[in-house]
Amino acid sequence: MKNRMGLIAIVVFFFSIIAVGTYAVSAEQSAKMDFSFGRMGAGIPPVTAALKVKPETMTPVVKLDNGIITLENTHYRIKLQAAPFLAFTSIYNKYTQTDSLVRDKVSRVFFIWVDGKRLEAKDFQVEGCRVSGNKATVSLACPAEKVNGTLSVSADNSGEVSLGLSFVNLEKKERETKVLFPFFEYLSVGDNPKDNYYLFPYKGGWCGNEPYELQATYGNHPGSIQLVSIFNPNLGGGLYTRVEDNSGRPKTIILKKKDSNLQEKVPFYAPLFPENKLKDEDLLSQDKGTTIAFYYPVAYRLKPGAELSLPRAVVGIHAGDFKVALDSYRKWLHTWFKPLKTPQWYKDNFNDVVSHDISGNTGFEKGFLKDNKIILSELVKPWMQ
């Protein structure tokens, strides 16, 4: 009985450590991050207000007019400018009857690092825009760095817009490429960013409205799903973005929320390995609003002439709160995930020792990748075999 109680105490202690996250960062790191679990809390947001208006049903339309791509249906009206640089100029939610961008602000679309040099949409020339059915395609070129790109956006009858991004290496040598996409900045559902709550996928998920900068890596223990949601309970709606990637490739998910244009630094928390952290923090806005981004910290290695097509990204405009975003993620998950039968050798194990391969914390980069694909499933086997 004593042994059993001792085991229970150990289990409780272990999960209490997980609950407060103390194993993720040292005390020294926590002090530098200026983070407080007490302040953050695990709060439940206010009850979401009922909608005052039901939008009229509308067949999806995608059109190009004077360099502005407009996507519109029952749920939203979104505008993407091609000049002077590629950027979202409006993300209008027909349920809340508000724009989801701070007034007079535009949102950049992506960042890319080629052999360590950072490029953004402003560094690419827009060589052409075309619309075919409910899909718009933008052709991009950066002659100085010998990189071409293509951005696609498409609409259907749902509240979701599909985003696609690809790059081609025009250099005569292999190059390392990291990407930040999707990227949305100056987000605010309604005029007051303080009224915006978010669901951030740290472990089981954090829901709150405190200003913070948060980073967690999907593919390591802190990052649970490839989804971030922001919503305004007072207005009864919000938006979310997710990445549809079932390869297991690591992504550092970033959220930064500021409630004013004052230049004070918001508290910061990033329980992740150093190599997965977004180091170019200057690209995150210091003005009010919320920034949401997905960073690919493990470099793609592009051979001469090779094309990198990133996993499909989605932005969803909706009525309701974060549960709408989670339901959407669940539906996508069920399109490919099938429950696996537990191997007998695993059932027969009393316990397992779980670790990276011999390359340590850089195992993803040095040991788990082959031809730009995760091969972890090929490496898993019973211990000592």
Side-chain angles (χ1 to χ4, degrees), residues 2-3 204 255 257 261 379:
K2 287 182 179 180
N3 289 340
L255 179 144
K257 182 178 189 281
N261 286 329
L379 304 175

Side-chain angles (χ1 to χ4, degrees), residues 3 21-22 28 49 55 86 98-99 140 147 150 216 249 268 275 310 336 345 357 366 371:
N3 289 340
T22 53
E28 181 181 1
L86 195 65
T98 61
D99 206 310
L140 305 165
V147 180
T150 302
R249 194 179 190 95
F268 170 74
E275 62 267 25
L310 293 168
W336 61 270
W345 65 261
D357 67 353
K366 296 182 178 178
D371 298 329

Side-chain angles (χ1 to χ4, degrees), residues 48-107:
T48 302
L51 293 176
K52 297 178 181 179
V53 176
K54 182 180 180 180
E56 293 184 7
T57 302
M58 176 181 175
T59 301
V61 173
V62 178
K63 61 183 180 180
L64 174 63
D65 186 22
N66 294 324
I68 303 291
I69 297 170
T70 301
L71 303 96
E72 186 172 9
N73 66 8
T74 304
H75 314 277
Y76 56 73
R77 182 172 60 251
I78 296 176
K79 294 180 181 288
L80 177 70
Q81 70 176 24
F85 59 91
L86 195 65
F88 287 102
T89 60
S90 177
I91 304 175
Y92 186 81
N93 186 323
K94 291 188 177 181
Y95 294 101
T96 63
Q97 295 189 305
T98 61
D99 206 310
S100 300
L101 291 178
V102 172
R103 189 184 304 273
D104 298 326
K105 294 291 187 180
V106 301
S107 172

Side-chain angles (χ1 to χ4, degrees), residues 146-175:
K146 297 184 178 179
V147 180
N148 281 359
T150 302
L151 176 76
S152 64
V153 290
S154 59
D156 56 21
N157 288 314
S158 74
E160 297 185 342
V161 173
S162 176
L163 306 173
L165 184 64
S166 63
F167 296 99
V168 177
N169 175 21
L170 302 180
E171 186 60 273
K172 295 181 179 179
K173 64 177 183 178
E174 183 176 272
R175 307 168 89 181

Side-chain angles (χ1 to χ4, degrees), residues 20-53:
V20 300
T22 53
Y23 73 97
V25 289
S26 67
E28 181 181 1
Q29 287 174 314
S30 295
K32 289 180 180 178
M33 291 178 183
D34 189 26
F35 183 84
S36 165
F37 276 96
R39 178 183 172 192
M40 180 68 186
I44 298 175
V47 174
T48 302
L51 293 176
K52 297 178 181 179
V53 176

Side-chain angles (χ1 to χ4, degrees), residues 99-246:
D99 206 310
S100 300
L101 291 178
V102 172
R103 189 184 304 273
D104 298 326
K105 294 291 187 180
V106 301
S107 172
R108 294 168 290 181
V109 181
F110 67 84
F111 289 84
I112 178 174
W113 289 259
V114 180
D115 287 338
K117 183 169 183 178
R118 187 175 89 191
L119 305 172
E120 60 176 284
K122 292 180 180 179
D123 299 309
F124 286 79
Q125 303 169 7
V126 175
E127 294 201 320
C129 299
R130 61 185 179 87
V131 172
S132 177
N134 291 332
K135 180 178 180 179
T137 304
V138 183
S139 299
L140 305 165
C142 182
E145 298 302 324
K146 297 184 178 179
V147 180
N148 281 359
T150 302
L151 176 76
S152 64
V153 290
S154 59
D156 56 21
N157 288 314
S158 74
E160 297 185 342
V161 173
S162 176
L163 306 173
L165 184 64
S166 63
F167 296 99
V168 177
N169 175 21
L170 302 180
E171 186 60 273
K172 295 181 179 179
K173 64 177 183 178
E174 183 176 272
R175 307 168 89 181
E176 287 196 349
T177 306
K178 297 183 179 183
V179 186
L180 189 70
F181 175 80
F183 178 85
F184 293 97
E185 57 187 341
Y186 303 116
L187 295 174
S188 180
V189 182
D191 293 331
N192 188 359
K194 189 173 180 60
D195 293 338
N196 282 214
Y197 282 72
Y198 52 82
L199 176 72
F200 184 76
Y202 176 74
K203 297 188 181 297
W206 274 345
C207 190
N209 70 336
E210 287 288 339
Y212 271 104
E213 179 182 340
L214 305 171
Q215 295 188 31
T217 302
Y218 172 82
N220 293 151
H221 53 270
S224 52
I225 57 176
Q226 303 169 94
L227 168 78
V228 183
S229 164
I230 70 168
F231 56 97
N232 187 326
N234 296 335
L235 296 178
L239 65 84
Y240 58 85
T241 187
R242 70 169 188 266
V243 174
E244 295 185 344
D245 180 17
N246 62 4

